[in-house]
Amino acid sequence: PSDGHSYRSYGYKNINSYSQSCIDYRWGTFMEAPCTTLTYYKRVKRRRRWTREKKTYRKCTAYTCDTVDCDSDIARKYCPQTCGWCTTLSDELNANFTAFASFLDQLGLDYKLRSPEQRTVFAPDDATFTDFLENSTTVIDYTDIDQWRAHMVDLALYHIVHQRLTTDNIIDGMEVCTSQGTDITFTVDTNGTVFVNNDSEITTPDIDIRNGVVHSINNVLLPPSALTTTWEYLDQSASHTTFFELLENANFTFLDTDGPFTMFAPTNDAFNCSTIDFNALTANQTKDLLNYHIISGNHLSYELFKARQKETLLEGMSLEFYARYYKLYIKYGPYQSRVKSKNILTSTGVIHVVDAVLRIPGLPSM
């Protein structure tokens, strides 16, 4: 058959199960109205005596894609390729938003826009997105998929909402969760123009597609990972005040401007439980201790587990990684630490929150 399935003929249920795939069933038949109710008699045995029992069944008209009018609801339902609404979100982006579509495709996210599930895409026009890639003001290089893949996926998913959302459904101040996991906020001015996150105007609204809606926007939506550096994240985190104080005293401000770096950030509780006498540390010892918590490059938890070992910024010192009960652990000398919160993306790298201060030899103890 033309649709690639192994069946030679299709019943009503067969066709319904594939009805989202934009395939014509030229050799298949499907039953639709008009229908008639027919009567027949069946010979049955009741109380040891044979008798006739009246039965009825419903018989509908058999159609194929070749015999129905393309303007009919039946054709739109079963013959989308020639008669119905077959354009997917992926088709629309590839036709009119090629730069953004190419970005999604290289990340392997195109399949999400071909699925029958309803989604809304806020798509930057080609000029806007190309200019963003070439002139990004952050440390993140959105063209370097080898180093910044996680951040690129984060950016792409921030433009997708997992529901059909037209401008008729949007009100001023409304917040909607994106596929990336954080909210975007809408504002509507007195003229009815809709803005996303205050600075991205929906220039062409409500491009209605079979599996969702596309809104053209004139600015790229930046997720939190593109707006907050590692330095800013730790400064704002109530759980890392002690660690940030050490970074600040050691003048580790390169975490605010350079990257990428992977940071293992101990919590305040980790410092309270540590046997290191932090008041007795010299400036060089503090610097070495902090460098032992940093790895050059972006490294997600699964990458650390696969690598098993990584060199830190402290020359000659490395960390070992292993997993237990689906948790990532760090082995450093005779000690170990558990990663409590993983893969926190920032514009200068990645943060993993750990439950212990990673100790190096030669530090004073309390």
Side-chain angles (χ1 to χ4, degrees):
S2 62
D3 63 357
H5 296 292
S6 59
Y7 306 98
R8 286 198 168 274
S9 62
Y10 301 86
Y12 180 79
K13 291 182 179 179
N14 295 124
I15 291 178
N16 265 341
S17 65
Y18 298 119
S19 62
Q20 295 285 354
S21 60
C22 278
I23 295 169
D24 278 357
Y25 299 89
R26 293 190 177 281
W27 289 275
T29 58
F30 36 90
M31 313 301 290
E32 283 285 349
C35 302
T36 56
T37 301
L38 301 178
T39 303
Y40 70 99
Y41 291 89
K42 182 179 180 181
R43 191 166 180 261
V44 295
K45 197 171 187 179
R46 295 281 186 267
R47 295 182 181 181
R48 299 182 182 182
R49 297 183 61 181
W50 289 99
T51 184
R52 289 197 311 164
E53 192 171 276
K54 187 177 180 180
K55 300 282 186 179
T56 60
Y57 69 96
R58 185 176 173 84
K59 182 178 180 181
C60 297
T61 307
Y63 296 96
T64 68
C65 285
D66 286 330
T67 60
V68 293
D69 181 1
C70 273
D71 290 331
S72 70
D73 291 335
I74 296 173
R76 295 188 186 97
K77 183 176 181 180
Y78 296 119
C79 312
Q81 191 65 45
T82 55
C83 301
W85 192 19
C86 194
T87 302
T88 65
L89 290 168
S90 177
D91 297 329
E92 174 64 24
L93 293 184
N94 279 298
N96 298 309
F97 301 89
T98 53
F100 189 58
S102 177
F103 185 77
L104 294 172
D105 191 48
Q106 70 171 322
L107 296 172
L109 298 176
D110 183 66
Y111 77 95
K112 288 181 175 289
L113 306 182
R114 292 189 178 278
S115 97
E117 297 181 22
Q118 297 294 308
R119 289 180 169 88
T120 300
V121 180
F122 298 91
D125 59 70
D126 286 345
T128 297
F129 198 70
T130 302
D131 180 68
F132 168 77
L133 295 179
E134 294 175 351
N135 304 296
S136 177
T137 57
T138 67
V139 176
I140 302 171
D141 182 358
Y142 286 105
T143 62
D144 185 359
I145 192 171
D146 294 326
Q147 186 63 258
W148 295 96
R149 181 184 181 87
H151 294 74
M152 294 167 69
V153 171
D154 204 54
L155 176 77
L157 294 181
Y158 195 61
H159 289 75
I160 302 173
V161 173
H162 205 140
Q163 66 184 56
R164 176 182 284 269
L165 188 66
T166 63
T167 51
D168 291 339
N169 308 129
I170 297 173
I171 59 175
D172 189 41
M174 177 178 173
E175 294 183 349
V176 175
C177 186
T178 66
S179 297
Q180 179 262 357
T182 55
D183 291 346
I184 53 176
T185 305
F186 298 99
T187 54
V188 183
D189 67 12
T190 54
N191 297 320
T193 304
V194 180
F195 294 85
V196 187
N197 289 351
N198 294 321
D199 60 353
S200 296
E201 180 186 346
I202 296 181
T203 53
T204 306
D206 302 332
I207 304 173
D208 211 9
I209 310 297
R210 185 180 186 212
N211 60 342
V213 181
V214 175
H215 301 289
S216 177
I217 56 178
N218 65 355
N219 215 342
V220 176
L221 305 178
L222 296 179
S225 64
L227 300 173
T228 307
T229 66
T230 297
W231 179 268
E232 291 169 338
Y233 180 89
L234 295 173
D235 183 22
Q236 297 164 10
S237 173
S239 300
H240 296 93
T241 53
T242 307
F243 186 54
F244 182 74
E245 186 178 345
L246 280 181
L247 291 169
E248 197 170 31
N249 292 337
N251 198 29
F252 268 56
T253 53
F254 66 87
L255 295 171
D256 195 36
T257 56
D258 301 328
F261 296 106
T262 298
M263 167 71 74
F264 299 97
T267 61
N268 293 337
D269 289 339
F271 278 91
N272 294 335
C273 295
S274 177
T275 58
I276 300 173
D277 186 356
F278 294 100
N279 293 323
L281 293 179
T282 66
N284 285 336
Q285 287 175 327
T286 301
K287 183 178 179 181
D288 288 346
L289 177 65
L290 294 174
N291 279 329
Y292 194 52
H293 288 73
I294 304 173
I295 296 175
S296 181
N298 289 316
H299 302 283
L300 302 183
S301 57
Y302 77 91
E303 295 171 330
L304 295 172
F305 170 70
K306 289 174 64 176
R308 300 294 183 179
Q309 185 172 336
K310 285 288 184 180
E311 293 288 330
T312 66
L313 293 190
L314 180 58
E315 187 176 356
M317 298 292 287
S318 61
L319 298 172
E320 297 178 10
F321 304 92
Y322 68 96
R324 187 172 65 189
Y325 300 113
Y326 304 102
K327 299 291 185 180
L328 182 68
Y329 286 82
I330 306 171
K331 190 173 186 298
Y332 49 104
Y335 310 104
Q336 69 177 19
S337 175
R338 181 171 64 89
V339 175
K340 296 179 62 177
S341 183
K342 61 187 179 182
N343 305 337
I344 301 170
L345 303 182
T346 72
S347 62
T348 54
V350 182
I351 298 174
H352 302 287
V353 178
V354 293
D355 66 353
V357 179
L358 309 182
R359 182 166 187 155
I360 58 176
L363 296 183
S365 298
M366 291 189 290

